[in-house]
Structure formats: structure tokens, C-alpha cells
Amino acid sequence: MPLDFREHLSLDDLANEYIMLGLRTSDGIDLDLLETKYGVDLLDEKIGDIARLEEAELIEPVSGRTLQLTRRGRTVCDSVVQRLAL
């Protein structure tokens, strides 16, 4: 009988993976997709953190429904991810 090594992740875990991976791309995070697929309204849940990250110029000001890192934010991506994680 083959062994089953699949990992079962919660919706929050999957959302955190999407945030972590999305911020590492030039496209950033599609906030509508995050809400539709994982049930997370990041602007609502992390509004204070997002405002502080914008003030620190680590993320671009949220326009439309996309969240992207600035050039400076890319150098500290893991810290930004930690602030936005659920």
C-alpha cells in the first residue's frame, strides 16, 4: 500500500501561501481572488497593518484591488508577509 504524504492545509494556510507567493511576483496579490477563493478580505482584516506598510513605503498604495510591494518592500518581503499573514 503506497504511503500518503499529502499535506492538508486550512483555508487560512492556503490564503497565507497565496499572500507569500503573490507578494514575490510583480503582479502582487489580487485582493478579489483572495476574498473569493479563500474568504479573506485582507483590506478589512489587516487595514492597520496595510496603512503602516504604505506609510513605510513597503507596499504600493492600494489602487483597485491589487496589493504590491515597492522596490524597498521587496528587500524585506518576509517581514511584510509576516505582517499580513492571518
Side-chain angles (χ1 to χ4, degrees), residues 20-50:
M20 179 185 65
L21 295 173
L23 285 177
R24 285 174 168 74
T25 69
S26 60
D27 292 333
I29 298 170
D30 180 330
L31 297 171
D32 287 330
L33 177 73
L34 185 63
E35 187 169 4
T36 301
K37 193 167 184 178
Y38 305 109
V40 175
D41 183 347
L42 199 61
L43 288 178
D44 184 52
E45 292 190 30
K46 296 289 186 165
I47 190 66
D49 289 313
I50 289 171

Side-chain angles (χ1 to χ4, degrees), residues 64-76:
R65 296 288 294 168
T66 303
L67 189 120
Q68 297 170 300
L69 293 174
T70 61
R71 181 183 308 250
R72 183 175 175 206
R74 282 186 229 120
T75 65
V76 292

